[in-house]
Amino acid sequence: MSDKEKSRFVPQDELNRQKEFAKKVREVLSSLYPNGYTPHAFVHSYGCQQNVSDGEKIKGILFSMGYQMTDKPENADFVIYNTCAVREHAEQRVFGNVGALKNIKRRRPNMLIGLCGCMTQQEIVAEKVKKSFPFVDIVLGTHVMHKLPEIIYTKLTGGKRVIDISGEEGIIAEGLPILRDGSSKAWIPIMYGCNNFCSYCIVPYVRGRERSRKSGDIIAEVKEVVASGYKEITLLGQNVNSYGKENGEISFPQLLRELNALDGDFRIRFMTSHPKDATRELIDAMADCEKVCKHLHLPVQSGSDRILSEMNRKYTVDDYLKIIKYAREKMPEISFTSDIIVGFPNEQDEDFEATLELIKKVGYDLLYTFIYSKRPGTPAAKMEDPISDEQKSIRFRKLLSVQEDIAYKKLSDMKGKVFKVLCEGEGRTMENSLCGRADNNVMVEFESTDKSLVGEFVNVIITSSKGYVCLGEIIK
Ligand code: 5AD
Ligand code: SF4
Protein backbone atom coordinates (compact mmCIF):
# COMPACT_ATOMS: atom_id res chain seq x y z
CA MET A 1 0.00 0.00 0.00
CA SER A 2 1.33 3.45 -0.89
CA ASP A 3 1.61 6.16 1.79
CA LYS A 4 -1.30 8.01 0.20
CA GLU A 5 -3.37 4.81 0.25
CA LYS A 6 -2.40 4.16 3.87
CA SER A 7 -3.48 7.63 4.95
CA ARG A 8 -7.08 6.84 3.94
CA PHE A 9 -7.32 4.14 6.61
CA VAL A 10 -7.22 4.22 10.39
CA PRO A 11 -3.87 2.50 11.10
CA GLN A 12 -3.97 -1.05 12.42
CA ASP A 13 -1.98 0.07 15.52
CA GLU A 14 -4.74 2.49 16.40
CA LEU A 15 -7.43 -0.16 15.91
CA ASN A 16 -5.46 -2.52 18.17
CA ARG A 17 -5.13 0.24 20.76
CA GLN A 18 -8.92 0.64 20.74
CA LYS A 19 -9.32 -3.13 21.21
CA GLU A 20 -7.16 -2.82 24.34
CA PHE A 21 -9.43 -0.03 25.58
CA ALA A 22 -12.45 -2.25 24.89
CA LYS A 23 -10.93 -4.90 27.17
CA LYS A 24 -10.29 -2.29 29.86
CA VAL A 25 -13.89 -1.03 29.62
CA ARG A 26 -15.07 -4.61 30.13
CA GLU A 27 -13.05 -4.75 33.38
CA VAL A 28 -14.29 -1.36 34.58
CA LEU A 29 -17.89 -2.37 33.84
CA SER A 30 -17.58 -5.63 35.76
CA SER A 31 -16.35 -3.78 38.83
CA LEU A 32 -18.99 -1.04 38.39
CA TYR A 33 -21.80 -3.57 37.97
CA PRO A 34 -20.88 -6.59 40.15
CA ASN A 35 -23.02 -9.65 41.02
CA GLY A 36 -23.32 -10.88 37.44
CA TYR A 37 -25.37 -7.91 36.20
CA THR A 38 -24.82 -7.19 32.50
CA PRO A 39 -24.95 -3.47 31.65
CA HIS A 40 -27.43 -2.59 28.91
CA ALA A 41 -27.03 -0.23 25.96
CA PHE A 42 -29.71 1.48 23.87
CA VAL A 43 -28.56 2.61 20.42
CA HIS A 44 -30.94 4.52 18.17
CA SER A 45 -30.06 5.68 14.65
CA TYR A 46 -32.02 8.39 12.88
CA GLY A 47 -32.03 9.09 9.14
CA CYS A 48 -30.51 7.19 6.26
CA GLN A 49 -29.33 3.58 5.89
CA GLN A 50 -25.73 4.73 6.16
CA ASN A 51 -26.55 5.84 9.69
CA VAL A 52 -28.32 2.58 10.43
CA SER A 53 -25.18 0.79 9.27
CA ASP A 54 -23.00 3.00 11.52
CA GLY A 55 -25.42 2.18 14.34
CA GLU A 56 -24.75 -1.54 13.80
CA LYS A 57 -21.03 -0.84 14.24
CA ILE A 58 -21.67 1.16 17.42
CA LYS A 59 -23.67 -1.81 18.72
CA GLY A 60 -20.83 -4.13 17.70
CA ILE A 61 -18.28 -2.05 19.59
CA LEU A 62 -20.50 -1.81 22.68
CA PHE A 63 -21.15 -5.56 22.57
CA SER A 64 -17.40 -6.19 22.43
CA MET A 65 -17.08 -4.17 25.65
CA GLY A 66 -19.67 -6.27 27.47
CA TYR A 67 -22.91 -4.34 26.90
CA GLN A 68 -26.10 -6.16 26.07
CA MET A 69 -28.53 -4.32 23.76
CA THR A 70 -31.96 -3.19 24.93
CA ASP A 71 -34.74 -1.47 23.00
CA LYS A 72 -35.86 0.53 26.04
CA PRO A 73 -33.82 3.65 26.92
CA GLU A 74 -35.25 3.59 30.46
CA ASN A 75 -33.55 0.21 31.06
CA ALA A 76 -30.20 1.27 29.61
CA ASP A 77 -26.94 2.03 31.35
CA PHE A 78 -25.65 3.65 28.17
CA VAL A 79 -27.91 5.46 25.71
CA ILE A 80 -26.54 6.71 22.43
CA TYR A 81 -28.41 8.59 19.73
CA ASN A 82 -26.83 8.37 16.30
CA THR A 83 -28.21 11.54 14.77
CA CYS A 84 -29.17 12.90 11.33
CA ALA A 85 -28.76 16.51 10.16
CA VAL A 86 -30.40 16.38 6.74
CA ARG A 87 -33.53 18.25 7.83
CA GLU A 88 -34.26 20.52 10.78
CA HIS A 89 -37.17 18.36 11.87
CA ALA A 90 -34.82 15.39 12.46
CA GLU A 91 -32.62 17.59 14.67
CA GLN A 92 -35.57 18.80 16.72
CA ARG A 93 -36.66 15.22 17.35
CA VAL A 94 -33.22 14.36 18.67
CA PHE A 95 -33.20 17.34 21.03
CA GLY A 96 -36.69 16.33 22.24
CA ASN A 97 -35.64 12.73 22.87
CA VAL A 98 -32.40 13.73 24.59
CA GLY A 99 -34.33 16.18 26.79
CA ALA A 100 -36.60 13.32 27.86
CA LEU A 101 -33.57 11.36 29.13
CA LYS A 102 -32.87 13.95 31.82
CA ASN A 103 -35.51 12.51 34.17
CA ILE A 104 -34.45 8.92 33.50
CA LYS A 105 -30.88 9.84 34.33
CA ARG A 106 -32.02 11.38 37.60
CA ARG A 107 -33.34 7.94 38.60
CA ARG A 108 -30.29 6.13 37.20
CA PRO A 109 -27.30 8.34 38.07
CA ASN A 110 -24.76 5.91 36.61
CA MET A 111 -26.40 6.09 33.21
CA LEU A 112 -24.22 7.43 30.40
CA ILE A 113 -25.71 9.45 27.55
CA GLY A 114 -23.98 9.86 24.20
CA LEU A 115 -24.71 11.68 20.95
CA CYS A 116 -22.99 10.98 17.66
CA GLY A 117 -23.56 11.19 13.90
CA CYS A 118 -24.09 13.99 11.41
CA MET A 119 -25.79 16.45 13.73
CA THR A 120 -22.99 16.52 16.29
CA GLN A 121 -20.34 17.04 13.62
CA GLN A 122 -21.69 20.60 13.25
CA GLU A 123 -19.93 22.94 15.64
CA ILE A 124 -23.08 24.91 16.48
CA VAL A 125 -24.81 21.73 17.58
CA ALA A 126 -21.83 20.57 19.67
CA GLU A 127 -21.83 24.01 21.33
CA LYS A 128 -25.58 23.83 22.01
CA VAL A 129 -25.22 20.41 23.62
CA LYS A 130 -22.29 21.66 25.68
CA LYS A 131 -24.32 24.58 27.04
CA SER A 132 -27.89 23.37 27.20
CA PHE A 133 -27.58 19.63 27.80
CA PRO A 134 -25.06 19.25 30.65
CA PHE A 135 -26.31 15.71 31.38
CA VAL A 136 -25.02 14.47 28.00
CA ASP A 137 -21.71 12.73 28.76
CA ILE A 138 -20.29 11.98 25.32
CA VAL A 139 -20.49 13.88 22.02
CA LEU A 140 -18.82 12.23 19.04
CA GLY A 141 -18.48 13.50 15.48
CA THR A 142 -18.62 11.32 12.37
CA HIS A 143 -14.86 10.73 12.08
CA VAL A 144 -14.09 9.27 15.51
CA MET A 145 -16.57 6.44 15.97
CA HIS A 146 -13.75 3.88 16.11
CA LYS A 147 -12.49 5.66 19.25
CA LEU A 148 -15.63 4.80 21.22
CA PRO A 149 -13.80 2.33 23.55
CA GLU A 150 -11.19 4.94 24.52
CA ILE A 151 -13.85 7.62 24.98
CA ILE A 152 -16.07 5.42 27.16
CA TYR A 153 -13.04 4.37 29.18
CA THR A 154 -12.06 8.00 29.73
CA LYS A 155 -15.58 8.87 30.81
CA LEU A 156 -15.99 5.86 33.11
CA THR A 157 -12.67 6.41 34.82
CA GLY A 158 -12.23 10.18 34.82
CA GLY A 159 -15.81 11.33 35.12
CA LYS A 160 -15.45 14.35 32.81
CA ARG A 161 -17.67 14.67 29.77
CA VAL A 162 -15.98 13.99 26.43
CA ILE A 163 -16.68 16.09 23.35
CA ASP A 164 -14.76 14.98 20.27
CA ILE A 165 -15.84 16.21 16.87
CA SER A 166 -12.30 16.29 15.56
CA GLY A 167 -10.80 13.69 13.36
CA GLU A 168 -8.93 13.45 10.16
CA GLU A 169 -11.56 14.02 7.59
CA GLY A 170 -11.97 11.14 5.23
CA ILE A 171 -10.48 8.10 6.87
CA ILE A 172 -11.89 4.59 6.83
CA ALA A 173 -11.92 2.25 9.82
CA GLU A 174 -11.92 -1.37 8.62
CA GLY A 175 -12.59 -4.42 10.76
CA LEU A 176 -14.80 -2.82 13.45
CA PRO A 177 -17.14 -5.31 15.09
CA ILE A 178 -20.72 -5.25 13.74
CA LEU A 179 -23.92 -6.32 15.45
CA ARG A 180 -26.41 -6.51 12.59
CA ASP A 181 -30.07 -5.70 13.23
CA GLY A 182 -31.53 -8.42 11.01
CA SER A 183 -30.60 -11.92 10.01
CA SER A 184 -31.57 -11.87 6.33
CA LYS A 185 -30.74 -8.33 5.12
CA ALA A 186 -27.27 -6.83 5.51
CA TRP A 187 -26.13 -3.24 4.93
CA ILE A 188 -22.62 -2.98 3.52
CA PRO A 189 -21.11 0.48 3.03
CA ILE A 190 -18.82 0.61 0.01
CA MET A 191 -17.84 4.26 0.36
CA TYR A 192 -18.23 7.17 2.74
CA GLY A 193 -18.63 10.92 2.34
CA CYS A 194 -19.83 13.05 -0.55
CA ASN A 195 -18.13 15.46 -2.97
CA ASN A 196 -21.22 16.79 -4.68
CA PHE A 197 -22.21 19.79 -2.62
CA CYS A 198 -25.82 19.99 -3.76
CA SER A 199 -26.66 23.51 -2.63
CA TYR A 200 -29.33 22.47 -0.09
CA CYS A 201 -27.45 19.59 1.52
CA ILE A 202 -25.45 19.45 4.74
CA VAL A 203 -24.02 15.96 4.16
CA PRO A 204 -20.71 16.93 2.46
CA TYR A 205 -19.94 19.23 5.41
CA VAL A 206 -20.55 16.62 8.08
CA ARG A 207 -19.46 13.41 6.36
CA GLY A 208 -16.31 14.66 4.66
CA ARG A 209 -14.90 13.83 1.22
CA GLU A 210 -15.61 10.68 -0.73
CA ARG A 211 -13.47 7.68 0.10
CA SER A 212 -14.01 4.16 -1.14
CA ARG A 213 -13.35 0.91 0.66
CA LYS A 214 -11.06 -1.54 -1.09
CA SER A 215 -12.99 -3.92 -3.31
CA GLY A 216 -11.24 -6.85 -1.60
CA ASP A 217 -12.61 -5.77 1.80
CA ILE A 218 -16.13 -5.40 0.39
CA ILE A 219 -16.02 -8.78 -1.35
CA ALA A 220 -14.74 -10.43 1.83
CA GLU A 221 -17.59 -8.89 3.86
CA VAL A 222 -20.21 -9.96 1.32
CA LYS A 223 -18.83 -13.52 1.35
CA GLU A 224 -18.93 -13.53 5.13
CA VAL A 225 -22.55 -12.39 5.42
CA VAL A 226 -23.71 -14.74 2.67
CA ALA A 227 -21.97 -17.62 4.48
CA SER A 228 -23.87 -16.68 7.64
CA GLY A 229 -27.20 -16.91 5.83
CA TYR A 230 -27.95 -13.34 4.75
CA LYS A 231 -30.04 -13.24 1.59
CA GLU A 232 -30.04 -9.57 0.66
CA ILE A 233 -27.03 -7.27 0.56
CA THR A 234 -27.55 -3.53 0.18
CA LEU A 235 -24.43 -1.67 -0.91
CA LEU A 236 -24.40 1.81 0.61
CA GLY A 237 -22.87 5.15 -0.30
CA GLN A 238 -24.06 8.75 -0.72
CA ASN A 239 -23.28 8.28 -4.39
CA VAL A 240 -22.33 4.69 -5.14
CA ASN A 241 -21.68 5.62 -8.78
CA SER A 242 -18.49 7.40 -7.81
CA TYR A 243 -17.17 4.28 -6.07
CA GLY A 244 -13.49 3.72 -6.81
CA LYS A 245 -12.97 7.05 -8.56
CA GLU A 246 -10.67 8.63 -5.99
CA ASN A 247 -8.53 5.55 -5.38
CA GLY A 248 -8.24 4.32 -8.96
CA GLU A 249 -9.78 0.96 -8.05
CA ILE A 250 -12.47 -0.86 -10.00
CA SER A 251 -15.64 1.10 -10.90
CA PHE A 252 -19.05 0.51 -9.33
CA PRO A 253 -20.40 -1.46 -12.32
CA GLN A 254 -17.29 -3.66 -12.14
CA LEU A 255 -17.84 -4.16 -8.42
CA LEU A 256 -21.43 -5.25 -9.12
CA ARG A 257 -20.16 -7.80 -11.63
CA GLU A 258 -17.59 -9.17 -9.18
CA LEU A 259 -20.16 -9.52 -6.41
CA ASN A 260 -22.64 -11.09 -8.79
CA ALA A 261 -20.09 -13.79 -9.60
CA LEU A 262 -19.90 -14.93 -5.96
CA ASP A 263 -21.53 -18.23 -5.04
CA GLY A 264 -24.76 -18.33 -3.04
CA ASP A 265 -28.48 -17.67 -3.21
CA PHE A 266 -28.59 -13.96 -2.43
CA ARG A 267 -29.54 -10.69 -4.07
CA ILE A 268 -27.88 -7.31 -4.30
CA ARG A 269 -29.36 -3.84 -3.93
CA PHE A 270 -27.59 -0.52 -3.81
CA MET A 271 -28.21 3.10 -2.94
CA THR A 272 -27.90 5.95 -3.62
CA SER A 273 -27.15 6.69 -7.27
CA HIS A 274 -26.58 10.27 -8.35
CA PRO A 275 -28.14 10.74 -11.82
CA LYS A 276 -25.12 12.70 -13.08
CA ASP A 277 -22.99 9.55 -12.67
CA ALA A 278 -25.58 6.92 -13.61
CA THR A 279 -23.96 5.63 -16.78
CA ARG A 280 -24.96 3.13 -19.43
CA GLU A 281 -22.20 0.94 -18.04
CA LEU A 282 -24.11 0.83 -14.73
CA ILE A 283 -27.38 -0.07 -16.45
CA ASP A 284 -25.62 -2.76 -18.52
CA ALA A 285 -24.17 -4.28 -15.37
CA MET A 286 -27.60 -4.27 -13.68
CA ALA A 287 -29.13 -5.95 -16.72
CA ASP A 288 -26.38 -8.59 -16.96
CA CYS A 289 -26.18 -9.50 -13.27
CA GLU A 290 -28.98 -11.85 -12.25
CA LYS A 291 -28.36 -11.26 -8.53
CA VAL A 292 -28.75 -7.47 -8.85
CA CYS A 293 -32.33 -6.34 -8.19
CA LYS A 294 -34.01 -4.58 -11.06
CA HIS A 295 -34.74 -1.49 -9.02
CA LEU A 296 -33.02 1.86 -9.29
CA HIS A 297 -33.34 4.57 -6.68
CA LEU A 298 -32.40 7.63 -8.69
CA PRO A 299 -33.15 10.84 -6.80
CA VAL A 300 -34.14 13.56 -9.25
CA GLN A 301 -35.05 16.24 -6.63
CA SER A 302 -36.86 18.49 -9.14
CA GLY A 303 -38.29 18.41 -12.66
CA SER A 304 -37.23 21.98 -13.45
CA ASP A 305 -33.90 22.61 -15.16
CA ARG A 306 -33.66 26.02 -13.52
CA ILE A 307 -34.08 24.56 -10.03
CA LEU A 308 -31.73 21.64 -10.81
CA SER A 309 -29.08 24.16 -11.76
CA GLU A 310 -29.68 26.19 -8.57
CA MET A 311 -29.43 22.92 -6.65
CA ASN A 312 -26.05 22.26 -8.29
CA ARG A 313 -27.20 18.85 -9.43
CA LYS A 314 -25.22 18.88 -12.71
CA TYR A 315 -27.82 17.19 -14.96
CA THR A 316 -30.91 18.30 -16.85
CA VAL A 317 -34.33 16.70 -17.00
CA ASP A 318 -33.45 15.54 -20.49
CA ASP A 319 -30.24 13.81 -19.29
CA TYR A 320 -32.26 12.14 -16.56
CA LEU A 321 -34.98 10.89 -18.88
CA LYS A 322 -32.35 9.48 -21.27
CA ILE A 323 -30.97 7.21 -18.56
CA ILE A 324 -34.48 6.12 -17.54
CA LYS A 325 -35.27 5.31 -21.20
CA TYR A 326 -32.07 3.32 -21.65
CA ALA A 327 -32.70 1.38 -18.44
CA ARG A 328 -36.26 0.52 -19.53
CA GLU A 329 -35.02 -0.67 -22.92
CA LYS A 330 -32.50 -2.95 -21.24
CA MET A 331 -34.77 -4.07 -18.37
CA PRO A 332 -38.47 -3.59 -19.18
CA GLU A 333 -39.41 -4.82 -15.70
CA ILE A 334 -37.21 -2.27 -13.84
CA SER A 335 -38.82 -0.13 -11.14
CA PHE A 336 -37.73 3.40 -10.24
CA THR A 337 -37.93 5.30 -6.99
CA SER A 338 -36.78 8.82 -6.31
CA ASP A 339 -36.40 11.70 -3.85
CA ILE A 340 -38.15 15.01 -4.49
CA ILE A 341 -37.67 18.29 -2.67
CA VAL A 342 -40.65 20.65 -2.74
CA GLY A 343 -40.22 24.33 -1.94
CA PHE A 344 -36.56 24.85 -2.77
CA PRO A 345 -35.87 28.63 -2.45
CA ASN A 346 -37.83 30.61 -5.01
CA GLU A 347 -39.43 27.57 -6.63
CA GLN A 348 -42.17 28.97 -8.88
CA ASP A 349 -45.46 27.37 -9.91
CA GLU A 350 -44.02 26.49 -13.31
CA ASP A 351 -41.03 24.75 -11.67
CA PHE A 352 -43.36 22.71 -9.52
CA GLU A 353 -45.59 21.88 -12.49
CA ALA A 354 -42.47 20.63 -14.30
CA THR A 355 -41.81 18.28 -11.36
CA LEU A 356 -45.36 16.91 -11.59
CA GLU A 357 -44.91 16.42 -15.32
CA LEU A 358 -41.65 14.56 -14.78
CA ILE A 359 -43.03 12.18 -12.18
CA LYS A 360 -45.94 11.34 -14.49
CA LYS A 361 -43.52 10.72 -17.36
CA VAL A 362 -41.26 8.41 -15.34
CA GLY A 363 -44.01 6.64 -13.40
CA TYR A 364 -42.18 6.00 -10.13
CA ASP A 365 -43.20 3.05 -7.97
CA LEU A 366 -42.44 5.10 -4.88
CA LEU A 367 -41.32 8.62 -4.07
CA TYR A 368 -39.60 9.94 -0.96
CA THR A 369 -40.89 13.49 -0.73
CA PHE A 370 -39.49 16.30 1.39
CA ILE A 371 -40.29 19.93 2.00
CA TYR A 372 -37.07 21.93 1.67
CA SER A 373 -35.41 22.50 5.02
CA LYS A 374 -32.93 25.34 5.41
CA ARG A 375 -29.55 24.03 6.58
CA PRO A 376 -27.24 26.72 7.99
CA GLY A 377 -23.88 26.77 6.23
CA THR A 378 -25.17 25.54 2.85
CA PRO A 379 -25.37 27.87 -0.21
CA ALA A 380 -29.18 27.48 -0.47
CA ALA A 381 -29.58 28.83 3.06
CA LYS A 382 -28.48 32.24 1.72
CA MET A 383 -30.90 32.24 -1.22
CA GLU A 384 -33.93 34.53 -1.30
CA ASP A 385 -37.12 32.61 -0.69
CA PRO A 386 -40.33 34.58 -1.16
CA ILE A 387 -42.53 31.45 -1.30
CA SER A 388 -44.75 31.01 1.79
CA ASP A 389 -44.79 27.86 3.92
CA GLU A 390 -48.48 27.54 3.14
CA GLN A 391 -47.81 27.53 -0.60
CA LYS A 392 -45.14 24.87 -0.08
CA SER A 393 -47.57 22.70 1.89
CA ILE A 394 -50.20 22.99 -0.82
CA ARG A 395 -47.65 21.86 -3.42
CA PHE A 396 -46.45 19.07 -1.18
CA ARG A 397 -49.99 17.68 -0.78
CA LYS A 398 -50.57 17.95 -4.52
CA LEU A 399 -47.36 16.02 -5.20
CA LEU A 400 -48.43 13.26 -2.79
CA SER A 401 -51.83 12.93 -4.40
CA VAL A 402 -50.47 12.83 -7.98
CA GLN A 403 -47.90 10.23 -6.95
CA GLU A 404 -50.48 8.16 -5.09
CA ASP A 405 -52.53 7.76 -8.28
CA ILE A 406 -49.39 6.77 -10.22
CA ALA A 407 -48.29 4.22 -7.61
CA TYR A 408 -51.75 2.65 -7.18
CA LYS A 409 -52.06 2.23 -10.94
CA LYS A 410 -48.57 0.66 -11.13
CA LEU A 411 -49.39 -1.76 -8.33
CA SER A 412 -52.71 -2.80 -9.86
CA ASP A 413 -50.86 -3.51 -13.14
CA MET A 414 -48.76 -6.13 -11.31
CA LYS A 415 -51.70 -8.56 -11.13
CA GLY A 416 -50.75 -11.94 -12.61
CA LYS A 417 -46.98 -11.38 -12.29
CA VAL A 418 -44.75 -13.74 -10.32
CA PHE A 419 -42.18 -12.25 -7.95
CA LYS A 420 -39.34 -13.73 -5.94
CA VAL A 421 -40.02 -12.35 -2.47
CA LEU A 422 -37.64 -12.35 0.48
CA CYS A 423 -39.96 -13.15 3.38
CA GLU A 424 -39.49 -10.68 6.25
CA GLY A 425 -42.21 -11.47 8.78
CA GLU A 426 -45.93 -11.21 9.46
CA GLY A 427 -48.13 -9.31 7.01
CA ARG A 428 -50.01 -6.23 8.16
CA THR A 429 -52.94 -6.09 5.77
CA MET A 430 -54.31 -9.66 5.92
CA GLU A 431 -54.64 -12.05 8.82
CA ASN A 432 -52.50 -15.23 8.76
CA SER A 433 -50.17 -13.73 6.21
CA LEU A 434 -46.47 -13.15 5.70
CA CYS A 435 -44.83 -10.30 3.82
CA GLY A 436 -41.60 -9.33 2.13
CA ARG A 437 -40.15 -7.32 -0.71
CA ALA A 438 -40.00 -8.41 -4.30
CA ASP A 439 -36.91 -7.90 -6.44
CA ASN A 440 -38.43 -4.59 -7.66
CA ASN A 441 -38.77 -3.40 -4.03
CA VAL A 442 -42.57 -3.68 -3.92
CA MET A 443 -44.02 -4.94 -0.63
CA VAL A 444 -45.90 -8.22 -1.16
CA GLU A 445 -48.21 -9.98 1.28
CA PHE A 446 -49.34 -13.60 0.93
CA GLU A 447 -51.40 -16.05 2.95
CA SER A 448 -49.23 -18.32 5.07
CA THR A 449 -48.70 -19.19 8.72
CA ASP A 450 -45.44 -21.01 8.03
CA LYS A 451 -42.95 -18.91 10.05
CA SER A 452 -40.07 -21.08 8.80
CA LEU A 453 -40.34 -19.08 5.55
CA VAL A 454 -39.09 -15.92 7.28
CA GLY A 455 -35.63 -15.16 5.89
CA GLU A 456 -36.23 -17.36 2.81
CA PHE A 457 -37.12 -16.59 -0.80
CA VAL A 458 -40.60 -17.58 -1.97
CA ASN A 459 -42.29 -17.21 -5.35
CA VAL A 460 -45.55 -15.33 -5.17
CA ILE A 461 -48.15 -14.71 -7.87
CA ILE A 462 -49.85 -11.32 -7.47
CA THR A 463 -53.64 -11.45 -7.30
CA SER A 464 -54.57 -7.89 -6.22
CA SER A 465 -53.26 -4.81 -4.43
CA LYS A 466 -54.28 -2.75 -1.41
CA GLY A 467 -52.74 0.69 -0.95
CA TYR A 468 -49.00 0.34 -1.38
CA VAL A 469 -49.01 -3.46 -0.89
CA CYS A 470 -49.43 -6.23 -3.48
CA LEU A 471 -51.38 -9.27 -2.32
CA GLY A 472 -50.68 -12.70 -3.69
CA GLU A 473 -50.34 -16.47 -3.29
CA ILE A 474 -47.29 -18.66 -2.91
CA ILE A 475 -46.53 -20.86 -5.91
CA LYS A 476 -43.94 -23.60 -6.17
N1 5AD B 1 -34.21 19.79 2.75
C1 5AD B 1 -35.07 18.83 2.34
N2 5AD B 1 -34.67 17.65 1.86
C2 5AD B 1 -33.33 17.41 1.81
N3 5AD B 1 -32.63 16.35 1.38
C3 5AD B 1 -31.32 16.61 1.53
N4 5AD B 1 -31.15 17.84 2.05
C4 5AD B 1 -32.39 18.36 2.22
C5 5AD B 1 -32.87 19.60 2.71
N5 5AD B 1 -32.04 20.56 3.12
C6 5AD B 1 -33.28 15.16 0.81
C7 5AD B 1 -32.84 14.93 -0.64
C8 5AD B 1 -31.93 13.73 -0.54
C9 5AD B 1 -32.57 13.00 0.64
C10 5AD B 1 -31.69 12.00 1.29
O1 5AD B 1 -32.89 14.02 1.55
O2 5AD B 1 -33.98 14.63 -1.40
O3 5AD B 1 -31.91 12.96 -1.70
FE1 SF4 C 1 -26.38 15.57 -0.32
FE2 SF4 C 1 -26.20 15.81 -2.99
FE3 SF4 C 1 -24.29 14.48 -1.62
FE4 SF4 C 1 -26.74 13.41 -1.88
S1 SF4 C 1 -25.30 13.84 -3.57
S2 SF4 C 1 -25.51 13.52 0.00
S3 SF4 C 1 -28.07 15.23 -1.82
S4 SF4 C 1 -24.76 16.66 -1.48
Side-chain angles (χ1 to χ4, degrees):
M1 234 196 283
S2 69
D3 283 353
K4 189 166 171 243
E5 264 283 279
K6 268 191 205 149
S7 68
R8 291 190 309 119
F9 293 90
V10 177
Q12 193 55 48
D13 287 357
E14 171 59 15
L15 293 172
N16 292 343
R17 208 172 70 87
Q18 292 303 329
K19 275 194 192 143
E20 287 305 311
F21 275 113
K23 266 193 217 148
K24 287 192 202 164
V25 171
R26 229 174 216 283
E27 286 159 18
V28 176
L29 287 176
S30 58
S31 60
L32 209 63
Y33 300 102
N35 306 326
Y37 173 78
T38 308
H40 287 62
F42 172 84
V43 181
H44 184 76
S45 297
Y46 297 81
C48 66
Q49 303 312 334
Q50 183 69 57
N51 242 25
V52 172
S53 161
D54 286 350
E56 293 182 333
K57 290 200 179 110
I58 294 168
K59 287 179 194 169
I61 297 173
L62 292 172
F63 188 71
S64 78
M65 297 190 293
Y67 283 98
Q68 185 180 317
M69 299 308 123
T70 170
D71 53 9
K72 294 192 179 66
E74 62 275 17
N75 292 345
D77 303 286
F78 181 53
V79 172
I80 183 157
Y81 285 124
N82 183 26
T83 63
C84 167
V86 167
R87 283 169 291 275
E88 193 186 356
H89 178 67
E91 294 198 347
Q92 283 162 350
R93 262 182 38 218
V94 170
F95 283 129
N97 289 346
V98 174
L101 291 177
K102 194 174 173 179
N103 280 335
I104 303 180
K105 189 161 176 169
R106 224 175 257 146
R107 293 196 301 273
R108 300 171 68 91
N110 280 339
M111 180 189 200
L112 286 185
I113 300 176
L115 281 181
C116 64
C118 292
M119 212 173 132
T120 49
Q121 189 61 40
Q122 304 166 90
E123 258 165 45
I124 32 170
V125 174
E127 274 307 308
K128 178 167 173 176
V129 176
K130 222 189 235 174
K131 285 203 189 97
S132 315
F133 296 84
F135 54 94
V136 171
D137 305 280
I138 292 172
V139 180
L140 289 186
T142 54
H143 305 293
V144 288
M145 190 174 55
H146 61 278
K147 287 194 198 160
L148 196 54
E150 180 176 2
I151 287 166
I152 294 194
Y153 181 77
T154 310
K155 177 65 200 133
L156 287 175
T157 53
K160 270 210 242 127
R161 72 197 310 216
V162 182
I163 298 188
D164 188 348
I165 62 166
S166 66
E168 281 173 67
E169 205 193 63
I171 54 173
I172 300 174
E174 281 296 349
L176 296 179
I178 304 174
L179 195 59
R180 295 186 196 274
D181 290 340
S183 53
S184 57
K185 292 175 165 196
W187 310 109
I188 300 196
I190 61 166
M191 59 183 304
Y192 304 94
C194 180
N195 289 356
N196 293 311
F197 290 94
C198 300
S199 62
Y200 50 81
C201 186
I202 194 75
V203 170
Y205 304 89
V206 292
R207 287 254 173 203
R209 296 293 64 73
E210 283 175 1
R211 62 257 185 219
S212 303
R213 293 178 70 193
K214 282 188 279 182
S215 59
D217 289 334
I218 298 167
I219 292 168
E221 190 174 342
V222 172
K223 278 186 180 164
E224 187 190 310
V225 296
V226 170
S228 17
Y230 286 84
K231 293 281 192 308
E232 183 175 298
I233 312 295
T234 304
L235 306 173
L236 298 176
Q238 303 298 341
N239 176 15
V240 290
N241 298 329
S242 41
Y243 172 78
K245 282 190 180 162
E246 91 294 349
N247 66 359
E249 256 236 61
I250 58 173
S251 68
F252 183 60
Q254 283 168 317
L255 179 68
L256 282 181
R257 288 181 190 277
E258 295 216 4
L259 294 175
N260 188 65
L262 298 177
D263 289 336
D265 184 20
F266 68 99
R267 67 187 184 189
I268 303 167
R269 297 187 186 280
F270 57 88
M271 59 184 184
T272 294
S273 282
H274 194 305
K276 79 175 167 57
D277 303 310
T279 56
R280 290 187 168 215
E281 199 197 345
L282 169 74
I283 304 297
D284 293 344
M286 285 180 77
D288 291 346
C289 295
E290 72 287 351
K291 290 192 173 91
V292 175
C293 291
K294 306 302 179 251
H295 162 230
L296 188 56
H297 182 61
L298 200 61
V300 68
Q301 314 295 359
S302 168
S304 151
D305 282 340
R306 185 183 73 82
I307 296 288
L308 286 175
S309 158
E310 295 277 305
M311 286 178 163
N312 192 30
R313 291 289 288 178
K314 302 197 179 81
Y315 55 83
T316 63
V317 170
D318 196 41
D319 300 331
Y320 185 88
L321 289 173
K322 276 194 185 123
I323 198 78
I324 298 273
K325 180 163 177 276
Y326 184 70
R328 283 219 161 105
E329 277 164 20
K330 284 275 187 158
M331 296 168 279
E333 74 281 24
I334 192 171
S335 70
F336 294 102
T337 56
S338 195
D339 296 346
I340 301 273
I341 297 179
V342 172
F344 183 80
N346 203 20
E347 181 190 58
Q348 299 295 318
D349 277 337
E350 68 245 36
D351 298 313
F352 178 66
E353 290 300 323
T355 299
L356 293 182
E357 201 180 307
L358 175 73
I359 67 163
K360 286 180 198 159
K361 244 185 218 160
V362 176
Y364 293 104
D365 287 63
L366 187 73
L367 275 186
Y368 299 89
T369 47
F370 310 102
I371 293 188
Y372 168 74
S373 169
K374 189 174 184 169
R375 303 287 60 216
T378 60
K382 295 189 203 86
M383 293 178 187
E384 296 265 321
D385 191 8
I387 312 298
S388 69
D389 287 351
E390 201 200 338
Q391 174 71 304
K392 293 185 185 192
S393 304
I394 293 171
R395 286 183 190 157
F396 187 70
R397 287 198 298 273
K398 172 87 184 161
L399 176 69
L400 293 186
S401 107
V402 170
Q403 173 56 26
E404 196 170 270
D405 291 347
I406 297 170
Y408 286 180
K409 165 88 179 57
K410 294 220 96 174
L411 288 176
S412 66
D413 288 349
M414 287 180 189
K415 197 170 161 184
K417 292 195 171 150
V418 176
F419 291 134
K420 186 174 173 184
V421 173
L422 177 58
C423 185
E424 286 174 21
E426 280 180 31
R428 285 178 214 138
T429 315
M430 296 189 288
E431 272 189 35
N432 299 327
S433 69
L434 295 173
C435 71
R437 287 199 185 267
D439 179 286
N440 65 1
N441 207 38
V442 165
M443 183 52 92
V444 175
E445 237 176 79
F446 49 95
E447 252 178 63
S448 176
T449 48
D450 182 0
K451 295 270 173 60
S452 72
L453 295 177
V454 174
E456 301 295 328
F457 287 118
V458 285
N459 289 322
V460 177
I461 182 159
I462 304 303
T463 51
S464 63
S465 64
K466 193 170 177 190
Y468 281 95
V469 178
C470 276
L471 308 178
E473 287 161 17
I474 297 189
I475 54 166
K476 291 283 167 242

